Every structure is written in C-alpha cells, then in structure tokens.
Amino acid sequence: MADPERRLQFAMVAYVGGARRTISLEWVREMLEGKLGIPIEFISVHCHRPEDFLAVFALAELRNRVSAYPSVKFQGDTLIFRPWNRQS
C-alpha cells in the first residue's frame, strides 16, 4: 500500500450540517480538540470535495473516537463525519 493511502486509512471526511457558512480548517481542529479531546498535533485537516473537509489522524484510536460521534455540535455549528474511502 502506498504511503499516502496508508495514512488515509486513519482519515474521516466531514461536512457542515444545517445552515451553510464558511468554516475554517482551524475551527475544525479546535472542535476536534475541544469536543473530543484530540490534540491538534495529531490531526491534519484539509479542504476536500465533495465533502467540506478531510481529517487525517495520526492514530487509529483517534479516528475511532471520532467515528463514535458521527455528528458533533460546536459553537452553534454541526460537523457530520464519516470514514474516508477511496471512492469518496
């Protein structure tokens, strides 16, 4: 398995639920740290289409923690997560 694809096995895609507004990559990192206790040094967040974001976690257990909460509310917004897959 190629290195980039190996890293993506610990990835989740996310999109903004509800009213659409601009949300920064930093906001996503802050939400993951503040709501789920994931240190920002273990997360890489990128813009991604067709979803809004791609979050790559350094460890499988961190990705699994996010998987346990498919949607997370933070500061009035909701992010909906699902596992990354090659077809997405």
Side-chain angles (χ1 to χ4, degrees):
M1 183 182 312
D3 188 57
E5 190 167 330
R6 185 178 55 79
R7 288 193 64 226
L8 288 172
Q9 70 183 347
F10 301 142
M12 306 266 316
V13 293
Y15 61 93
V16 180
R20 305 286 300 171
R21 71 176 191 95
T22 303
I23 291 180
S24 70
L25 300 174
E26 182 62 31
W27 182 93
V28 176
R29 286 189 291 269
E30 288 175 10
M31 183 276 302
L32 289 167
E33 182 178 46
K35 291 293 282 191
L36 301 178
I38 298 173
I40 58 174
E41 61 268 17
F42 292 106
I43 311 163
S44 175
V45 180
H46 311 272
C47 292
H48 181 69
R49 297 288 175 239
E51 296 85 359
D52 297 317
F53 303 101
L54 174 71
V56 182
F57 301 91
L59 304 168
E61 52 266 20
L62 298 176
R63 187 210 46 162
N64 294 343
R65 187 181 306 172
V66 175
S67 294
Y69 299 94
S71 68
V72 179
K73 292 186 180 202
F74 183 66
Q75 297 177 349
D77 292 299
T78 301
L79 273 185
I80 300 164
F81 290 92
R82 65 181 177 83
W84 173 88
N85 67 51
R86 187 177 300 161
Q87 288 74 32
S88 71

